[in-house]
């Protein structure tokens, strides 16, 4: 669900692993462009789509007879997207998201949003890690984490996604994986400022080292 650069890249990863993928986006003109070109000409024009990717123009078609629903929408649109799906979800559906961020108005982690919108019994997992969509789509080496309270589910997803250039590890630390995806952006901005004012490699190394330590302290503080 979501045919931006990251959603497209993850679709390509799954398709290269011979998983059938149904790709949907709210922007119908984008879907028409993708269907015609068999590539996402707007976001990743240099990467052709494998045949396993099927473009769907409705949410109903996308969810029909599937089990796993991968959400790749911005964090500010995450709750609304879940509400849109809710009436179509059954007990067989499992939710995965590759969205980095918190809910803007509440500061909730996205697993808290899932539990609020879909109930605490909903099966869910989160995929996150240091990754640029273009490099993932081109098959350059990348490592990510999949976190779920249900490690059997997480390991199943790791099998779907994992390949030589897309390494996947699993954990039950749902909070930690989401926290890393959020706070690393703060550290990245600080490093950019340091570079911009000319503080050099030593300043950058100090910021990254101290920032990483603070990230771990925050993670421990949140359990």
């Amino acid at each position: 669900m979501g045919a931006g650069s990251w959603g497209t890249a993850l679709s390509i990863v799954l398709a290269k692993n011979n998983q059938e993928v149904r790709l949907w986006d709210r922007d119908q003109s984008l879907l028409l462009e993708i269907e015609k070109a068999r590539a996402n000409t707007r976001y990743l024009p240099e990467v052709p789509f494998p045949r396993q990717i099927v473009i769907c123009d409705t949410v109903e078609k996308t969810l029909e007879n599937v089990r796993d629903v991968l959400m790749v929408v911005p964090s500010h649109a995450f709750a609304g997207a879940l509400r849109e799906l809710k009436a179509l979800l059954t007990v067989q559906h499992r939710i995965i998201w590759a969205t980095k961020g918190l809910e803007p108005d509440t500061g909730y982690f996205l697993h808290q949003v899932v539990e609020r919108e879909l109930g605490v019994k909903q099966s869910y997992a989160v995929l996150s890690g240091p990754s640029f969509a273009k490099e993932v789509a081109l098959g350059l080496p990348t490592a990510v984490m999949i976190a779920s309270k249900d490690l059997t589910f997480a390991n199943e997803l790791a099998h779907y996604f994992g390949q030589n250039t897309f390494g996947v590890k699993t954990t039950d630390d749902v909070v930690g994986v989401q926290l890393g995806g959020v706070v690393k952006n703060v550290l990245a901005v600080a490093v950019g400022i340091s570079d911009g004012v000319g503080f050099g490699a030593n300043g950058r190394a100090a910021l990254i080292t101290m920032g990483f330590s603070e990230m771990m302290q925050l993670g421990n503080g949140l359990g």
Side-chain angles (χ1 to χ4, degrees), residues 27-41:
D27 186 341
Q28 294 293 302
S29 65
L30 173 61
L31 294 180
L32 288 172
E33 292 171 21
I34 292 173
E35 184 71 84
K36 183 178 180 180
R38 289 304 296 170
N40 193 328
T41 54

Side-chain angles (χ1 to χ4, degrees), residues 162-179:
Q163 52 185 245
N164 289 338
T165 60
F166 195 75
V168 183
K169 291 188 177 295
T170 60
T171 178
D172 61 0
D173 184 8
V174 174
V175 170
V177 168
Q178 292 177 100
L179 184 69

Side-chain angles (χ1 to χ4, degrees), residues 84-106:
E84 194 170 341
L85 292 178
K86 186 172 183 178
L88 300 171
L89 294 176
T90 68
V91 291
Q92 76 169 359
H93 288 113
R94 305 184 296 190
I95 300 293
I96 312 101
W97 64 94
T99 300
K100 295 185 178 88
L102 305 173
E103 185 175 53
D105 294 337
T106 64

Side-chain angles (χ1 to χ4, degrees), residues 91-167:
V91 291
Q92 76 169 359
H93 288 113
R94 305 184 296 190
I95 300 293
I96 312 101
W97 64 94
T99 300
K100 295 185 178 88
L102 305 173
E103 185 175 53
D105 294 337
T106 64
Y108 280 5
F109 286 106
L110 297 188
H111 79 278
Q112 295 173 306
V113 178
V114 170
E115 292 179 350
R116 183 190 70 206
E117 300 295 335
L118 304 180
V120 295
K121 292 184 179 180
Q122 174 65 53
S123 295
Y124 61 76
V126 54
L127 183 155
S128 190
S131 50
F132 290 104
K134 182 178 179 180
E135 293 186 7
V136 169
L138 290 172
L140 296 178
T142 304
V144 300
M145 297 289 292
I146 292 178
S148 177
K149 296 176 182 178
D150 180 352
L151 279 177
T152 300
F153 177 27
N155 289 327
E156 190 176 334
L157 292 173
H159 173 73
Y160 293 157
F161 281 97
Q163 52 185 245
N164 289 338
T165 60
F166 195 75

Side-chain angles (χ1 to χ4, degrees), residues 156-219:
E156 190 176 334
L157 292 173
H159 173 73
Y160 293 157
F161 281 97
Q163 52 185 245
N164 289 338
T165 60
F166 195 75
V168 183
K169 291 188 177 295
T170 60
T171 178
D172 61 0
D173 184 8
V174 174
V175 170
V177 168
Q178 292 177 100
L179 184 69
V182 173
V183 181
K184 58 90 178 169
N185 287 332
V186 180
L187 179 56
V189 170
V191 170
I193 293 171
S194 176
D195 285 354
V197 297
F199 284 168
N202 288 352
R204 180 194 298 171
L207 265 174
I208 292 172
T209 302
M210 291 187 291
F212 187 57
S213 175
E214 289 185 6
M215 286 172 67
M216 290 192 292
Q217 291 175 48
L218 183 55

Side-chain angles (χ1 to χ4, degrees), residues 41-53:
T41 54
R42 200 178 298 181
Y43 295 106
L44 295 169
E46 59 274 84
V47 187
F49 274 20
R51 59 175 177 78
Q52 290 89 345
I53 297 179

